[in-house]
Amino acid sequence: MRTLLLAVAFAVAIASVCVTQPENANYTLPAISSPSAGCIDDTWTSTSITNVPEARGEHTAVWTGSEMIVWGGSGNTFQVNTGARYNPTSDSWTAASTTNAPDARYSHTAVWTGSEMIVWGGFGSGGPLNTGGRYNPVTDSWTSMSTTNAPQARAGHTAVWTGSEMIVWGGQGFNGLNTGGRYNPVTDTWTATTTINAPTARQWHTAVWTGSEMIVWGGADNFGHNVNTGGRYNPDTDSWTPTSTPNAPSARAGHTAVWTGSEMIVWGGGMFLNTGSRYNPIMNTWTATNSTNVPEGRSAHTAVWTGSEMIVWGGVGSNTDLNTGGRYNASMDSWTATSTTNNVPSARASHTTIWTGSEMIVWGGSFFTALDSGGRYCAQSSVTPTPTPTTTATPTSTSTARPTPTPRHRPTPAPRP
């Protein structure tokens, strides 16, 4: 039966700016604002299945500015350490090298630095991991990461890219954690995050980067109880500030969060909730999102920020996996359903999504079995996208069975072989 370790989808941090690059990266992939300029709004296009990577869920994906890189995850039998780059302009896949690649894993995290993808943590064949690797798509090569002073092994954690460091926090080792670390790819070094005033231990929460702070919220504690608390971490001062709880959304895990440039929007999760709220860190206040025309409640879905809208899609509903979604316009506080006709991908959870500037690309995931299919959803935006600065652990499920209608959390999961 699918392991419903409800996890978080992508925390898209539009405001982050890459200011420091690894020393071995002397070329940055060109950013393109609209690889599919002229696509028709609210329509789907299938992604190519030629040279497509092995089917998987619980993997990660980042956007480089011109390509989507998917890596790792759980196949139909084993976790994998393979990946590929998808070019939406040519609708083509290119396999990523496995030479010196990190060990196979799932429920890990990945961030894009501007020149490299950094993957870290997750569940491997022997349990939680505290290892990772840096992938350079220009040279198609991997560089290992130091484990000196690295955080405790974990999965179901979150990671953000600040412009110079990757910050990982929380997650599940053999118990929930409220610890984290900052990784500097230039010096290949780790620095622990303070635990003073840190949020309580949790996994399957969300995190976004605001440009100056990491905001974590929600998740499940060591007893499997969902929480509706969070905290803001300032790496400059190595300090935590709690998020307010008045008017905060109900406790949940398996939800999504996006950063709009001024607010964090959380939505869904928990027992198939279809509610959400907007958090303003300057005012330290919450405002509920409109419930009119809201999509069906769900968990283990994904969300992207387009520059003007949050698009949620897929996930586990109360009765089955879903291939529906909705677009939330923050300025209008209104919802519009996403199309379910033509080339809409099949229902799934544990998938990944990225935003290109004109399209949301969905790929992989599972529904009874792991999937190697995907789709591109056109939602025209006038905002030039920032290449993916941060992703979080992909929604957790076993790739070989139906989802259980009622989600559960396991404080100590048994890793796959």
Side-chain angles (χ1 to χ4, degrees), residues 217 228 243-249 264-266 276-280 284-288:
W217 190 83
N228 74 335
T243 56
S244 66
T245 54
N247 300 316
M264 174 183 70
I265 309 178
V266 300
S277 194
R278 295 152 54 174
Y279 175 73
N280 185 317
N284 194 26
T285 57
W286 290 94
T287 304

Side-chain angles (χ1 to χ4, degrees), residues 5 89 97 127 154 168 182 214 304 323 356 391 401:
L5 293 171
T89 302
S97 172
R154 65 193 68 196
V168 299
R182 294 155 52 179
M214 174 183 69
V304 298
N323 72 338
T356 71
T391 57

